[in-house]
Amino acid sequence: MSNQRLIYGFHAVNARLWQNPKSITELYVLEGKSDARTREVLEKAAAENVRLHFADAERLNALCKGARHQGVAGFVDASKNHVHLEDVLDNLREPPLLLVLDGITDPHNLGACLRTADAMGVHAVIAPKDKSAGLNATVSKVACGAAESVPYITVTNLARTLRELKEYGIWIVGTDVGGDADLFHCDIPDSVAWVMGSEGEGMRRLTREHCDMLVSIPMFGTVQSLNISVSAGMVLAETRRQRGQ
């Protein structure tokens, strides 16, 4: 049971049904619900031979601990979507674009980062196993399906992983208010891993020391910092813009 993970909401469940249906151990649908989205879930679940249960609202609410489940929830075998970093890098057909999250413990922030990463075509999101939010139902819900599409790779030693990325020819670029250059006036390397720390504390010292370059995000208003997913969206979008030139 330790590998069982709850997912809920149409985005998370549909993404799992279409991308990795064999990892779903059982699916719960609100009895009597027959709208188009629910019918789509039921049809796909039947086609993939997913074990299906119809449950009343009280059962679903208890299962999801009061979260907004939209009448659909399920359990997945988390061990069946484990991905190794080498597998990702060895199968790319374009320069790697990676996002490294150092010390992001809030599941809402992680979910938002995964959604942003998916939108910007990030090949993998990397995080240390300790002091980081793990994939859970909240992350899947906030990510709107991106938790099922973007490889989320947790590593035991982040500093060692950054050194391994350099061996692949990938530049390690960190975001920092005191960066060597600002985002809009620097040449972003073709192969890049963007490293971002928590909004309050930033990157850890050892992580910062492994960065090849530090880049700041220009601020033109009165706020002193940005949410991690907003910052990620800005640096990833600028990376894609420069690649397209």
Side-chain angles (χ1 to χ4, degrees):
M1 291 296 292
S2 61
N3 283 330
Q4 294 289 306
R5 178 165 68 86
L6 177 71
I7 60 174
Y8 54 78
F10 282 107
H11 285 299
V13 169
N14 257 324
R16 179 67 65 150
L17 273 171
W18 285 94
Q19 295 169 22
N20 196 1
K22 294 187 183 303
S23 69
I24 303 176
T25 56
E26 51 188 345
L27 197 61
Y28 292 82
V29 176
L30 182 64
E31 59 185 7
K33 193 172 176 63
S34 60
D35 58 275
R37 291 196 299 180
T38 301
R39 291 197 303 272
E40 182 182 11
V41 167
L42 293 175
E43 290 170 3
K44 183 62 176 174
E48 299 293 346
N49 296 313
V50 174
R51 186 181 178 188
L52 184 65
H53 307 277
F54 291 97
D56 58 24
E58 184 178 359
R59 175 87 183 276
L60 271 175
N61 289 337
L63 195 67
C64 300
K65 299 180 179 179
R68 188 168 176 266
H69 50 70
Q70 299 176 305
V72 59
F75 285 98
V76 300
D77 183 349
S79 67
K80 291 191 175 180
N81 68 334
H82 180 68
V83 179
H84 294 284
L85 181 58
E86 294 80 5
D87 296 333
V88 173
L89 297 177
D90 290 342
N91 289 284
L92 292 181
R93 296 184 178 180
E94 65 173 334
L97 175 56
L98 307 173
L99 178 62
V100 180
L101 302 177
D102 186 24
I104 308 305
T105 58
D106 187 305
H108 291 87
N109 282 339
L110 174 56
C113 284
L114 287 169
R115 187 175 182 179
T116 299
D118 179 88
M120 292 294 103
V122 168
H123 300 117
V125 174
I126 303 167
K129 288 183 179 178
D130 296 331
K131 297 182 180 179
S132 292
L135 290 183
N136 58 28
T138 300
V139 173
S140 291
K141 175 70 171 172
V142 174
C144 293
E148 318 305 326
S149 61
V150 178
Y152 180 64
I153 300 169
T154 56
V155 298
T156 303
N157 188 317
L158 183 58
R160 182 172 61 210
T161 299
L162 294 178
R163 290 195 296 270
E164 291 172 354
L165 291 178
K166 292 184 182 186
E167 293 176 1
Y168 275 90
I170 299 172
W171 281 66
I172 311 301
V173 182
T175 54
D176 186 85
V177 294
D180 308 313
D182 75 68
L183 178 62
F184 305 130
H185 296 88
C186 71
D187 293 325
I188 299 172
D190 289 336
S191 299
V192 61
W194 281 100
V195 185
M196 315 199 77
S198 62
E199 184 177 341
E201 300 178 3
M203 292 178 288
R204 290 175 295 176
R205 178 188 59 80
L206 191 57
T207 303
R208 181 193 303 270
E209 290 176 357
H210 280 80
C211 290
D212 298 306
M213 179 168 60
L214 295 176
V215 172
S216 64
I217 298 176
M219 305 287 283
F220 302 99
T222 58
V223 298
Q224 299 298 311
S225 63
L226 295 171
N227 176 272
I228 178 68
S229 64
V230 174
S231 297
M234 292 181 68
V235 300
L236 294 172
E238 176 62 15
T239 303
R240 282 297 179 187
R241 186 192 71 80
Q242 289 193 21
R243 284 191 180 189
Q245 288 184 335

